[in-house]
Amino acid sequence: MKDILTELHTPCLLQCGFYPDDDHGPYNREGACFSVLPEKGHGRYWTYTRDNLFSISIQDFVFYEDLFLEFQQPKYLSFNYYDSVSGEEFNPYKRLSCGCIRVHIGYNNLYRATYRKNIPIRSTAIEIMPEYYEDYLKSKYPVEYKDLRSSFITVDGMTNFSELVFLLRQIRNFQGTGIAAKLYYEGKVAEAVSLIVEKAKAHKKTYPTKSISQQDLDGLTAVTAYIDDHFSSEIHLEDLARIACMGLTKLKCTFKQAYQCTITEYIQNKRMNHAEQLLTSTDLHINQIAHIVGYHNSSRFSELFRKSTGLLPNEYRRFTVTTR
């Protein structure tokens, strides 16, 4: 890739309803800024690009209608942390949620996702190009170099990666200019990659990966099908183990390996997705919605909902109700 800004960011942003804007708001003037067209929403998308090696992006915007995003993406690795989001990715399907590290791997494939209207999208991300993670790093560290993709995949969905979250928040608030900015952003990208490699290494020591047999994959498929049908009810791990024909320990480890989340997180994602639909399409009280999706304690439901979307249920409804 010759120019990350013009080949990766700009075409996608213009397609979505952004326009180049000299008003950077609270973000560093060393980067490029795009604003949402007033008739489509409000907010900014800021990005700093370094040659053809990497880019850093900050999202802080709202759309007045659901945004369906589809674009042909090049090869790259990215990770980000959402402070607020509501939507889903497709191919493969993945619910977008905040409070965890989200990893994306582009491989000249079609990216498709939907972002919910009126819900703030707030995120900080780093995208690195093959020229960085294949050419630059391999030439700089020829002996120690290993493919970064497996490390990135390992940290996808992690909720206990405070060091990386802190780094992304530092980047969001940085205001230095000139050579200070160049050195800072280059250093932070290298630091972030280092953190990911080390975190993945520690995780693999704790949870060594093994190939999953077809029989076990069939068992996991049966488990997810059962959860999809019964997520609003009380689900016992012992019952899931019987369905999968596995012991409890094996089920939990194999499930985590296959879906990059725990069984509890999978159930919560199903419940939160249904709660979002009920909040936007009905006038049911928050307590009623909590019970419908499987929570007897509405406070616990509200806590988990905010952890998932960045908003309390009543805030989420207030953002979306104006266009119903």
Side-chain angles (χ1 to χ4, degrees):
M1 181 176 293
K2 295 180 180 179
D3 189 321
I4 301 173
L5 180 61
T6 58
E7 295 183 43
L8 176 63
H9 295 283
T10 302
C12 181
L13 291 168
L14 295 179
Q15 174 190 330
C16 294
F18 287 85
Y19 66 93
D21 193 352
D22 290 332
D23 182 2
H24 285 56
Y27 304 118
N28 196 320
R29 295 198 61 81
E30 288 294 318
C33 197
F34 297 78
S35 291
V36 184
L37 291 167
E39 64 270 22
K40 290 185 175 291
H42 63 270
R44 294 179 175 89
Y45 183 107
W46 176 94
T47 184
Y48 173 89
T49 61
R50 182 67 176 274
D51 301 324
N52 58 346
L53 298 176
F54 65 81
S55 62
I56 298 168
S57 306
I58 297 174
Q59 301 176 24
D60 190 358
F61 54 82
V62 173
F63 279 100
Y64 297 145
E65 298 295 336
D66 284 356
L67 171 66
F68 177 73
L69 175 60
E70 181 177 271
F71 75 98
Q72 195 73 33
Q73 56 188 353
K75 286 182 63 178
Y76 69 103
L77 302 176
S78 74
F79 58 91
N80 73 305
Y81 183 86
Y82 283 108
D83 290 294
S84 173
V85 69
S86 178
E88 51 264 328
E89 296 176 332
F90 307 100
N91 301 331
Y93 177 84
K94 182 188 292 185
R95 183 175 183 274
L96 293 171
S97 58
C98 63
C100 64
I101 299 300
R102 308 296 308 198
V103 166
H104 185 73
I105 298 179
Y107 50 95
N108 298 316
N109 56 322
L110 189 66
Y111 179 79
R112 301 169 68 241
T114 295
Y115 295 89
R116 298 289 174 231
K117 62 183 180 181
N118 295 328
I119 303 303
I121 306 298
R122 299 193 182 102
S123 170
T124 307
I126 293 178
E127 302 89 14
I128 60 174
M129 305 299 128
E131 289 86 346
Y132 183 89
Y133 64 83
E134 290 180 353
D135 302 339
Y136 173 73
L137 290 182
K138 188 180 293 185
S139 64
K140 196 170 182 64
Y141 307 103
V143 177
E144 300 93 338
Y145 177 81
K146 292 183 179 179
D147 190 344
L148 292 181
R149 282 170 290 192
S150 61
S151 295
F152 273 58
I153 291 171
T154 300
V155 305
D156 184 33
M158 280 192 176
T159 57
N160 61 336
F161 207 162
S162 58
E163 308 95 320
L164 188 58
V165 175
F166 180 71
L167 180 146
L168 292 172
R169 297 207 189 287
Q170 286 180 313
I171 288 174
R172 195 178 184 95
N173 296 323
F174 180 72
Q175 293 294 332
T177 58
I179 190 172
K182 290 181 172 65
L183 291 170
Y184 180 85
Y185 290 130
E186 181 180 350
K188 284 300 179 185
V189 170
E191 182 183 352
V193 172
S194 170
L195 288 173
I196 289 173
V197 170
E198 192 62 28
K199 189 76 167 182
K201 189 189 304 182
H203 182 82
K204 288 173 181 177
K205 285 182 180 178
T206 307
Y207 305 100
T209 56
K210 299 178 181 179
S211 59
I212 304 175
S213 69
Q214 186 59 52
Q215 181 179 351
D216 288 342
L217 286 172
D218 292 342
L220 293 178
T221 300
V223 165
T224 55
Y226 180 87
I227 294 173
D228 292 347
D229 287 340
H230 299 86
F231 65 85
S232 60
S233 304
E234 187 174 358
I235 297 177
H236 299 284
L237 288 177
E238 293 80 3
D239 294 333
L240 298 181
R242 281 193 288 271
I243 292 170
C245 299
M246 300 180 195
L248 275 177
T249 302
K250 180 180 179 180
L251 171 62
K252 289 188 283 188
C253 292
T254 309
F255 192 99
K256 176 76 172 180
Q257 180 181 344
Y259 298 105
Q260 284 78 56
C261 67
T262 66
I263 294 172
T264 299
E265 290 167 344
Y266 185 91
I267 295 170
Q268 287 177 354
N269 281 337
K270 298 295 294 187
R271 290 176 172 180
M272 295 304 123
N273 191 53
H274 190 44
E276 288 182 17
Q277 296 173 20
L278 294 174
L279 286 165
T280 56
S281 62
T282 75
D283 295 317
L284 292 170
H285 192 274
I286 302 300
N287 288 339
Q288 292 175 293
I289 293 176
H291 280 79
I292 289 172
V293 300
Y295 296 99
H296 299 298
N297 186 319
S298 59
S299 296
R300 175 62 174 164
F301 163 67
S302 296
E303 176 189 340
L304 291 171
F305 191 89
R306 180 166 59 180
K307 184 178 179 181
S308 175
T309 65
L311 301 167
L312 290 168
N314 57 351
E315 293 174 326
Y316 187 95
R317 171 172 277 169
R318 187 165 65 249
F319 278 124
T320 59
V321 72
T322 53
T323 57
R324 279 223 318 261

